[in-house]
Amino acid sequence: MEMDTALNRTRRQTLRCGALAMLLAAGVLRPDEARAASRAGFEAQTLETALQALGGVVARQADIVLTTPDIAENGASVPVTATSRLPGTTELYLLVEYNPRPLVAAFAFAPGTEPEVQTLVRMAESSRVWAVVRAQGKLHAVAREVRVTLGGCGV
Amino acid sequence: MSESIKIRASVQDGLATVRLRLTHPMESGLRRDPAGKSVPADFIAELEVQHQGRSVLRCDWSGGMAPNPLLAFKFKGAAKGDRLRVLWVDNRGVRSAAEAVIG
């Protein structure tokens, strides 16, 4: 998607701010080809294939703290906090096992950024939520069960 | 559009806490509307946060993120008055960016 055509096609108003146009011209976000390569796993339809796409071999790990509600009343917006205590953490992934596309988010931390994120995810149904951490090149994971009383992907 | 990105940032002992609130439907493309019609995918695919021009966090997201996403994180080496910049691009190629000063 070339920028001009994409912007002409939708939400043209995004470009009305001159300062923003300058930011866009600076081309800070990665080119489309690079982005596509980094999105391995997002199309996966099972937890297993998503984890394989991230590099496979996941060790269960107590040094990742995953905080979720036990029961989520609204699956459209479930709070998740994940913290890695593993040295050399560079990336953190959030997955919802029974979502149609389990991989929800990937976060890449620059040196000096704490390996912790707090956000909200959609849950189609009751499922385990996974936090997967890449530390010193290896994947580690923890999971927590969340019961959803109103699903978030179909509603 | 800067109003689609709200940035709150504070710093204590050099550790900045950043809270983002983004206005976006975050449609996965798998949902159906009440009439049974498929709702097209429309989600922020990539987001980057920069501190004084240096990237501190990069995110790749799917439509599995909650609508109007919230994100909080922390990074070291910040001072009051430093500039933060947030940029995103969605799956349709729409881009947005905003700047804020750490308070």
Side-chain angles (χ1 to χ4, degrees):
Chain A
M1 60 198 159
E2 198 266 317
M3 191 182 83
D4 284 345
T5 51
L7 285 165
N8 287 340
R9 199 169 60 235
T10 51
R11 300 191 199 169
R12 178 180 279 272
Q13 69 274 17
T14 12
L15 252 195
R16 293 216 176 115
C17 162
L20 173 59
M22 275 169 57
L23 293 180
L24 299 179
V28 177
L29 296 173
R30 279 169 288 174
D32 295 330
E33 317 79 63
R35 184 178 321 121
S38 79
R39 293 189 61 82
F42 279 99
E43 292 303 316
Q45 296 181 23
T46 65
L47 176 77
E48 202 170 45
T49 50
L51 292 176
Q52 273 166 11
L54 300 181
V57 189
V58 174
R60 292 288 192 128
Q61 187 39 264
D63 286 336
I64 306 167
V65 182
L66 175 62
T67 310
T68 57
D70 294 330
I71 298 176
E73 281 177 16
N74 179 8
S77 208
V78 180
V80 176
T81 302
T83 308
S84 171
R85 293 177 181 156
L86 293 161
T89 295
T90 52
E91 280 149 64
L92 190 150
Y93 305 89
L94 297 177
L95 300 96
V96 178
E97 187 162 346
Y98 291 155
N99 272 7
R101 302 282 187 278
L103 182 56
V104 170
F107 302 90
F109 306 107
T113 300
E114 303 280 298
E116 172 178 327
V117 292
Q118 190 181 338
T119 190
L120 296 152
V121 302
R122 280 183 197 264
M123 293 185 69
E125 56 183 300
S126 297
S127 169
R128 273 186 292 191
V129 173
W130 290 73
V132 175
V133 164
R134 195 184 306 277
Q136 292 170 346
K138 290 206 179 100
L139 289 184
H140 305 263
V142 286
R144 272 185 56 84
E145 191 78 38
V146 178
R147 233 181 79 205
V148 174
T149 46
L150 176 64
C153 287
V155 294
Chain B
M1 233 177 337
S2 56
E3 59 266 33
S4 71
I5 303 175
K6 288 206 169 67
I7 308 169
R8 281 199 301 151
S10 58
V11 63
Q12 195 163 23
D13 300 328
L15 184 69
T17 301
V18 182
R19 288 190 179 81
L20 307 180
R21 176 185 287 274
L22 313 166
T23 305
H24 204 284
M26 300 303 283
E27 286 291 352
S28 64
L30 306 168
R31 220 169 58 89
R32 292 184 177 278
D33 69 14
K37 269 183 65 183
S38 170
V39 181
D42 184 6
F43 57 85
I44 294 171
E46 189 181 343
L47 179 139
E48 180 174 343
V49 183
Q50 298 175 345
H51 166 240
Q52 303 284 86
R54 183 184 82 100
S55 176
V56 290
L57 183 73
R58 306 192 78 115
C59 310
D60 285 291
W61 290 347
S62 77
M65 289 285 284
N68 298 324
L70 299 177
L71 174 68
F73 73 101
K74 296 171 184 166
F75 69 91
K76 293 182 193 128
K80 210 169 173 169
D82 285 358
R83 297 199 71 81
L84 284 179
R85 182 185 288 179
V86 175
L87 306 101
W88 60 246
V89 58
D90 71 17
N91 66 308
R92 310 203 287 191
V94 176
R95 288 165 188 258
S96 188
E99 288 196 338
V101 171
I102 298 177

